Amino acid sequence: MAHINAHYLDLPGNYLFSEVARRVAAYTTANPEQRIIRLGIGDVTRPLAPAIIAALQATVAEQATPEGFRGYGPEQGYSFLTRIIAESEYAGLGISQEEIFVSDGAKCDLGNFPELFAQDTVTAVTDPVYPVYADTAVMAGRALVHLPCTAENAFVPALPTRRPDVICLCYPNNPTGTVLTKEQLRVWVDYARANDSVIFFDAAYEAFIREPGIPRSIYEIEGAREVAVEFRSYSKTAGFTGLRCGYAVVPRTVSGLAPDGRRVPLNDLWRRRQTTKYNGCPYIVQRAAEAAHSAEGKAQLRQAVDGYLENARSIKKAFEELGLAVFGGVNAPYVWVRLPQGTDSWDFFSLLLQRAGIVSTPGAGFGAAGQGYLRLTGFGDPKDTEEAVKRLRRLQI
Amino acid sequence: MAHINAHYLDLPGNYLFSEVARRVAAYTTANPEQRIIRLGIGDVTRPLAPAIIAALQATVAEQATPEGFRGYGPEQGYSFLTRIIAESEYAGLGISQEEIFVSDGAKCDLGNFPELFAQDTVTAVTDPVYPVYADTAVMAGRALVHLPCTAENAFVPALPTRRPDVICLCYPNNPTGTVLTKEQLRVWVDYARANDSVIFFDAAYEAFIREPGIPRSIYEIEGAREVAVEFRSYSKTAGFTGLRCGYAVVPRTVSGLAPDGRRVPLNDLWRRRQTTKYNGCPYIVQRAAEAAHSAEGKAQLRQAVDGYLENARSIKKAFEELGLAVFGGVNAPYVWVRLPQGTDSWDFFSLLLQRAGIVSTPGAGFGAAGQGYLRLTGFGDPKDTEEAVKRLRRLQI
């Protein structure tokens, strides 16, 4: 008999966003006249920036010529891209281009990277959490340590009482939209160093940081290069959710323990994993990502991110005017609304859908500590967001 | 202590093709005047077909407009693509579009699919074998059963004496270029049905089949829909090695056993895996793949594949003229050369590089039974291949 990986049976039936999509589809089928505004999933809505389009067009044209055609590339990414990432994103932080691995997105990297660790690895995740870290651990039959983040602790997780091997941190945070200061992040780097844990630092939203003093990269913290792997994405920063590109930063100095007591650099293991099971991000997409780092590209993308932040601020204000406490939305595209005492977040998700035609994401979908909260995103079209704000003003709760 | 997945230490140090690339780079650095002809890795060299380029250009232009922009798509692929695959590739074979999962390539799918099975899964692989199946099993600490395929058994693997849970079959075969007839493949489908094994059928090279009666899909065999998952790729059939697109066919009727005795469809598990750890193939790439199924696209791609087959025939003939037995190269882009008795394949790889400037792949790199063989590919540029043939004619062995 071929036996399945029974850990899959421990998962919730559907991936969170598939479940939200299912419920929205059922509602729209029953109410075809209602115009739905989608502020649920964190998907960008603005077209690709002119600099990105120009790079794609030029590179596609090259693929029609024998001289310009590119087949298999290096699995870890072309050096034109890893070099510009090292130079423009990690200048002064001691990261070299050999420590950067380009991929088709942070979701894949975060789902695959845990393979490098032993079966009995204990993984710490915040609660609420982006489901990929937790679901991936469950699929591998691994123990989870939950770090509750609520208004009561100002969304700053306390150090765990049980020592984890891997610690997943996402800042600016998805789903709460909150950030850590350098001092707050330093606590975790120091903890990981003292306990020989590895931090997975998900920095997918770093481009949304607007306040000074908030770290964009974990390598701004002393000692992080010994314990942290950082994941970044072009999805939210450059509108690549449909184009797919991201990267992992794996410093040579981050290692894990082999059974014989040797320390093995994770950089070597990740290179082996990616060369064996991955074939690289499409060449044309890597050229598009390169364009995101040009002066022209950066200016265009900054404008797009500013627009999403403006949406987030409007949503935040509208919920505050309803008398609710609202978090995030300043250095992040996510707005995290605390619902009236005792309100179930799936119930409020339904209420908002039925009475205002607004799709949100129920906080409980991100973990037990997300119960009583709701996530909205600033990624909508500005006019749609404005209309949503109007509908929220008319809402009686 | 964060412990590593120690099974990684059981792998050879480098992925085969990385090792070949390393040796070639060392040689070219030492011999910069020698013009190298690369017939080693199975990478296409012809530019993308006009139908593919036109689809890419039109879709890139759409991404610059608010109406045409696409963000996240369905992780399992857009329905425009799964529909055309079901209709044009599996007509009459009982495969529906919900059974097709688009990805960024067969290598990723073959590397990730084994996650759906229990830790103690036993995997059968042919020897020689495309390294991804075997390396993936080693990385997961799983037992392998080797099925030798040599000239002695006409490259038709014998049924195993130890029952495997998963059986990896690749036809047309990489690296030997050989095929199975329907009758020979039926033996395996019947075996899998009788033993409750699951077949991974890698059909990445189906477009190269030219002789009648050779199955292009395993679903041409009765009963295969109960036991087989099929993997296909646009890499070799449509020149997508740099563009990245493939798909897995997971019939609803293929299942594995849960600990409580229930049978769980692999289709459900793969959907859960892909929605959780993958974010879909780029939209523009899926539109390019769609174009490969158009009448115009098909005609253009047929011509390209014919060209690669013509190269393979020339290489085959050149080695035969050297007095060697040569296999494959008729229904496959690969030519599998049997070296003179007692010749080590890495030694012959070096000889061919040093004396003819031709890059090949040593058979031993594909497994113990590949020792004494050499793989060459028809994917080179036609002029380069012609030059390689000339150099082979001058070679004294």
Side-chain angles (χ1 to χ4, degrees), chain A residues 256-278:
Chain A
L257 204 68
D260 63 3
R262 262 189 305 158
R263 299 215 61 106
V264 181
L266 298 185
N267 186 291
D268 290 345
L269 296 178
W270 187 236
R271 190 174 306 272
R272 192 59 164 90
R273 195 271 170 205
Q274 292 296 80
T275 53
T276 305
K277 298 197 196 181
Y278 182 58

Side-chain angles (χ1 to χ4, degrees), chain B residues 108-176:
Chain B
C108 305
D109 284 348
L110 286 158
N112 295 328
F113 207 88
E115 284 180 35
L116 307 189
F117 293 88
Q119 173 60 30
D120 62 356
T121 294
V122 176
T123 307
V125 294
T126 60
D127 178 5
V129 68
Y130 174 53
V132 174
Y133 324 137
D135 285 4
T136 295
V138 171
M139 283 171 165
R142 291 178 179 169
L144 284 169
V145 171
H146 290 96
L147 309 168
C149 293
T150 61
E152 283 64 36
N153 62 8
F155 302 96
V156 179
L159 291 173
T161 47
R162 177 183 177 186
R163 184 203 147 272
D165 302 291
V166 167
I167 301 162
C168 300
L169 297 176
C170 172
Y171 291 99
N173 189 253
N174 176 11
T176 68

